[in-house]
């Protein structure tokens, strides 16, 4: 008689997949088959807006690049008033330089056609593989006559200046805030220089902090091992690929206490190692913010909504005003149990910045036609 071995609880997790090497192609094929405004190039794993050939003639095109496993980033944000194309690597692996170069070629007329292209903005998270491959692709594209600008985004405040050094912060949900603005400008026929300038400006005014109850299991098979934290423990600042965070906390704090810790990491201007968002000390000139709550994979909207209430209350107690709120699964880590706060310092009302507060809110509020954005 066959016997069944009992598996220790919490040591394995289940994935609804066929073959691990096919997961990205199958997911992106399904996404585009059911959305007529999206198309897919399986050879290079590129999702693009179906009207790209016409759109690229008179508009700056925008490309987001990342490894798979973070869906709906960026496949769920391709379409009208958002990305022109998305290039996906394997799960948690950067797209190759060849993939990125192919996407650039799709996003502009061939230089041999003698047509003057508005250009392409390429955005990646601040990870070594993405940076290296993007650099190779852009070098090749410029040599071939294409007009390209590149902006890496790093917004994780868990990585302080001392630890980050020259490498800088990891890229998390700040991509989406910067791209929401840049892509709206591109749709309005703004220049490549303006789109890149706004992307860099917004990225420099954004911070993200996450928390998780476990690490993450790569889908190498239907059943895979799951690295767990000690009992009654959470990890503050865990990375999007399960990288070590700022600290492990035990016992698990109350939602109110956890929210206070997380928001303070984003707003504290006295912490020289992590005061990345350039708030004024007295909040007199830049008190308006946009708050984004992101599920890292398995956190429900109901839980996010409760933390949103707590986050808004904590921000208001510090003198801030939350002008807009967005929540949902936006940048996930497969099905990691956790969430993150992302905060965007809106422009000052009294000082001249790259954007005015009215322009920033207008770009944020523009409607999009994509799969995953929560307007």
């Amino acid at each position: 008689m066959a016997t069944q071995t009992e598996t220790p609880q919490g040591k394995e997790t289940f994935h609804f997949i066929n073959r691990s090497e096919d997961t990205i192609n199958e997911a992106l094929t399904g996404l585009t088959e059911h959305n007529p405004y999206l198309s897919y190039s399986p050879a290079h794993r590129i999702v693009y807006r179906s009207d790209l050939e016409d759109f690229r003639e008179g508009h700056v095109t925008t490309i987001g690049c990342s490894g798979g496993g973070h869906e709906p980033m960026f496949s769920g944000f391709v379409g009208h008033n958002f990305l022109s194309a998305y290039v996906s690597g394997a799960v948690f692996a950067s797209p190759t330089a060849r993939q990125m170069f192919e996407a650039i070629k799709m996003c502009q007329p061939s230089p041999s056609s003698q047509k003057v292209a508005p250009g392409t903005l390429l955005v990646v998270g601040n990870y070594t593989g993405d940076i290296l491959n993007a650099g190779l692709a852009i070098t090749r594209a410029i040599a071939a006559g294409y007009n390209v600008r590149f902006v890496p985004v790093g917004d994780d405040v868990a990585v302080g200046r001392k630890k980050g050094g020259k490498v800088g912060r990891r890229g998390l949900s700040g991509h989406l805030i910067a791209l929401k603005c840049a892509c709206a400008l591109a749709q309005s026929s703004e220049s490549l220089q303006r789109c890149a300038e706004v992307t860099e400006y917004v990225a420099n005014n954004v911070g993200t902090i996450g928390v998780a109850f476990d690490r993450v299991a790569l889908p190498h098979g239907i059943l895979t091992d799951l690295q767990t934290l000690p009992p009654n423990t959470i990890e503050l600042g865990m990375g999007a690929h399960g990288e070590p965070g700022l600290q492990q906390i035990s016992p698990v704090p109350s939602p109110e206490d956890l929210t206070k810790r997380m928001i303070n990491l984003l707003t504290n201007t006295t912490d020289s190692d992590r005061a990345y968002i350039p708030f004024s000390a007295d909040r007199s000139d830049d008190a308006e913010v946009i708050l984004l709550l992101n599920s890292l994979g398995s956190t429900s909207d109901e839980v996010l909504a409760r933390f949103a209430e707590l986050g808004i209350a904590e921000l208001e107690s510090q003198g801030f005003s939350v002008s807009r709120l967005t929540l949902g699964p936006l940048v996930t880590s497969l099905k990691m149990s956790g969430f993150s706060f992302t905060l965007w310092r809106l422009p000052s009302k009294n000082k001249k910045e790259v954007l005015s507060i009215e322009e920033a809110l207008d770009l944020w509020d523009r409607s999009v036609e994509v799969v995953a954005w929560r307007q």
Side-chain angles (χ1 to χ4, degrees), residues 209-213 234-238 258 262 296 337-340:
I209 185 67
V211 67
F213 287 85
I234 59 173
E235 187 156 335
L236 184 63
M238 185 183 292
L258 177 60
M262 295 175 74
L296 294 176
S337 177
F339 76 97
S340 62

Side-chain angles (χ1 to χ4, degrees), residues 174 176-182 198-208 266 277-279 286-292 315 320-324 341-347 353 355-365:
L176 296 183
I177 294 179
L179 282 168
K180 179 67 174 68
C181 298
V198 167
T199 303
E200 292 172 344
Y201 165 74
V202 174
N204 288 333
N205 285 273
V206 166
T208 298
L266 296 170
I277 309 177
F279 290 114
D286 51 6
E288 292 195 50
V289 296
I290 285 178
L291 180 64
L292 187 152
L315 286 164
F320 291 102
S321 173
V322 178
S323 297
R324 302 289 189 274
F341 284 113
T342 298
L343 200 63
W344 176 21
R345 168 198 170 272
L346 286 170
E353 301 189 27
L355 288 172
S356 69
I357 189 169
E358 292 79 12
E359 289 172 323
L361 290 173
D362 173 63
L363 294 172
W364 185 259
D365 289 340

Side-chain angles (χ1 to χ4, degrees), residues 81-300:
N81 260 336
F82 228 135
L83 286 167
S84 308
Y86 161 56
V87 190
S88 177
V91 174
F92 290 1
S94 167
T96 65
R98 182 184 177 188
Q99 287 177 265
M100 295 183 190
F101 181 46
E102 291 296 328
I104 293 168
K105 291 196 294 183
M106 291 175 64
C107 284
Q108 292 186 42
S110 171
S112 62
S113 69
Q114 304 300 312
K115 294 180 180 178
V116 178
T120 298
L121 174 67
L122 191 145
V123 174
V124 305
N126 188 30
Y127 296 96
T128 302
D130 298 86
I131 299 290
L132 289 175
N133 289 339
L136 291 170
I138 291 169
T139 298
R140 187 177 175 189
I142 292 173
Y146 292 95
N147 183 17
V148 188
R149 288 287 299 273
F150 171 51
V151 179
V153 176
D155 56 305
D156 186 2
V157 303
V159 180
R161 291 181 173 88
K162 293 178 183 177
K163 182 178 179 180
K166 293 182 179 179
V167 175
R169 299 186 281 167
R170 300 179 292 218
L172 298 174
S173 308
H175 301 69
L176 296 183
I177 294 179
L179 282 168
K180 179 67 174 68
C181 298
C183 295
L185 289 169
Q187 187 78 40
S188 300
S189 301
E190 289 282 355
S191 69
L192 178 58
Q193 179 179 346
R194 178 61 173 164
C195 293
E197 176 188 41
V198 167
T199 303
E200 292 172 344
Y201 165 74
V202 174
N204 288 333
N205 285 273
V206 166
T208 298
I209 185 67
V211 67
F213 287 85
D214 56 42
R215 298 202 184 276
V216 64
L218 293 174
H220 295 312
I222 293 176
L223 280 175
T224 54
D225 292 335
L226 175 65
Q227 295 181 4
T228 57
L229 297 175
N232 198 22
T233 300
I234 59 173
E235 187 156 335
L236 184 63
M238 185 183 292
H241 311 94
E243 301 97 331
L246 175 60
Q247 65 177 136
Q248 292 187 358
I249 304 173
S250 182
V252 176
S254 69
E256 291 82 358
D257 288 344
L258 177 60
T259 298
K260 186 178 183 66
R261 290 195 198 195
M262 295 175 74
I263 294 297
N264 281 339
L265 283 168
L266 296 170
T267 60
N268 186 355
T269 58
T270 64
D271 182 351
S272 60
D273 196 37
R274 289 187 172 81
Y276 289 108
I277 309 177
F279 290 114
S280 59
D282 60 1
R283 316 287 191 245
S284 62
D285 200 38
D286 51 6
E288 292 195 50
V289 296
I290 285 178
L291 180 64
L292 187 152
L293 274 88
N294 172 55
S295 168
L296 294 176
S298 64
T299 304
S300 69

Side-chain angles (χ1 to χ4, degrees), residues 8-150:
Q9 289 188 351
K11 298 298 183 182
E12 289 185 330
T13 187
F14 186 86
H15 301 279
F16 282 106
I17 62 172
N18 293 312
R19 299 192 310 163
S20 60
E21 60 267 34
D22 295 332
T23 53
I24 300 298
N25 260 329
E26 289 178 345
L28 296 181
T29 297
L31 177 75
T32 51
E33 281 182 347
H34 295 284
N35 292 279
Y37 55 87
L38 295 177
S39 297
Y40 181 50
S41 171
H44 299 101
R45 287 200 290 248
I46 301 170
V47 176
Y48 58 98
R49 49 189 295 171
S50 297
D51 63 350
L52 181 59
E53 190 168 349
D54 292 330
F55 181 80
R56 68 184 187 177
E57 297 287 343
H59 301 83
V60 168
T61 48
T62 52
I63 303 173
C65 305
S66 75
H70 301 300
E71 291 76 18
M73 184 187 83
F74 286 110
S75 57
F77 307 116
V78 176
H80 176 77
N81 260 336
F82 228 135
L83 286 167
S84 308
Y86 161 56
V87 190
S88 177
V91 174
F92 290 1
S94 167
T96 65
R98 182 184 177 188
Q99 287 177 265
M100 295 183 190
F101 181 46
E102 291 296 328
I104 293 168
K105 291 196 294 183
M106 291 175 64
C107 284
Q108 292 186 42
S110 171
S112 62
S113 69
Q114 304 300 312
K115 294 180 180 178
V116 178
T120 298
L121 174 67
L122 191 145
V123 174
V124 305
N126 188 30
Y127 296 96
T128 302
D130 298 86
I131 299 290
L132 289 175
N133 289 339
L136 291 170
I138 291 169
T139 298
R140 187 177 175 189
I142 292 173
Y146 292 95
N147 183 17
V148 188
R149 288 287 299 273
F150 171 51

